[in-house]
Amino acid sequence: DVVELFARTRTAYTPTLIVQYNAESMREYFFTRSDVLGNEKLRRFYPVNRLKELTERRPGWQRDAEFLFVQGAAQAAKIQRAGGLIGVGGHAELQGLGYHWEMWAYGMGGMKSAEILRAATIDGARIIGIDQDLGSIEPGKLADLVILTANPLDDICNSTSIESVMQDGRLY
């Protein structure tokens, strides 16, 4: 079966649920259920006119049951738990927030916060072949960190509670 194939071969899988094909887009789920335009951090770093374009008159409104990304996320969890490599991708649908939505979707599919963070950090780095430099906090690795004000292990939605960023050992 597919889960066993991914696990035994250590084939990487990054489902990019935000644009799941042949199903209602997860992008629409989050655009229609969150205040993207009112997000202060997005408004600081993203052109407001573009945010308005993205948030006004979305193409449709679907009931929660019409979205299948939760089932896709549940399948990704099965692969990861069987030993396969799962990554997180954002598909550039909304820079600054799309990646977080992808992590939140994994949580909606049953992944535990620690599993999601592993996919977003060390396994993601391993998938693209840079785990010797990034993905975990270890001596000799690059000091690129995101410092949060709330614990994402308690709730993966805390991933957006960013206080500071450290890049190459410099705190911003």
Side-chain angles (χ1 to χ4, degrees), residues 13 15-20 25-27 69 72-73 89 102 105-106:
Y13 178 45
T16 317
L17 300 166
I18 200 164
V19 291
Q20 187 177 23
S25 172
M26 183 186 89
R27 172 186 57 230
F69 69 86
E102 193 82 10
Y106 281 168

Side-chain angles (χ1 to χ4, degrees), residues 24-25 27-28 31-32 54-62:
E24 296 300 331
S25 172
R27 172 186 57 230
E28 296 311 314
F31 265 117
T32 58
L54 288 169
T55 57
E56 293 173 352
R57 294 182 190 88
R58 296 302 304 174
W61 188 277
Q62 294 86 22

Side-chain angles (χ1 to χ4, degrees), residues 29-160:
Y29 178 88
F30 284 105
F31 265 117
T32 58
R33 288 160 177 78
S34 56
D35 184 12
V36 173
L37 184 60
N39 184 301
E40 290 180 34
K41 288 179 184 172
L42 279 179
R43 292 175 70 89
R44 179 174 175 204
F45 295 105
Y46 212 98
V48 174
N49 64 323
R50 181 66 179 133
L51 284 176
K52 287 181 181 178
E53 289 174 11
L54 288 169
T55 57
E56 293 173 352
R57 294 182 190 88
R58 296 302 304 174
W61 188 277
Q62 294 86 22
R63 293 184 314 274
D64 288 354
E66 294 180 75
F67 292 96
L68 301 180
F69 69 86
V70 174
Q71 290 89 335
Q75 295 306 311
K78 285 182 185 178
I79 291 169
Q80 187 189 56
R81 290 173 185 154
L85 287 171
I86 297 296
V88 178
H91 204 263
E93 295 300 312
L94 182 61
Q95 296 85 351
L97 200 51
Y99 195 86
H100 296 279
W101 288 351
E102 193 82 10
M103 291 192 300
W104 302 350
Y106 281 168
M108 293 167 72
M111 266 193 193
K112 293 176 174 43
S113 293
E115 294 170 324
I116 298 165
L117 293 172
R118 188 175 90 209
T121 57
I122 190 63
D123 283 352
R126 185 171 292 123
I127 288 167
I128 61 173
I130 59 169
D131 54 311
Q132 71 281 358
D133 295 319
L134 294 173
S136 62
I137 301 171
E138 298 177 50
K141 288 194 173 186
L142 298 174
D144 291 350
L145 309 167
V146 177
I147 301 161
L148 307 174
T149 60
N151 190 346
L153 292 172
D154 295 337
D155 180 352
I156 197 60
C157 293
N158 288 337
S159 67
T160 57

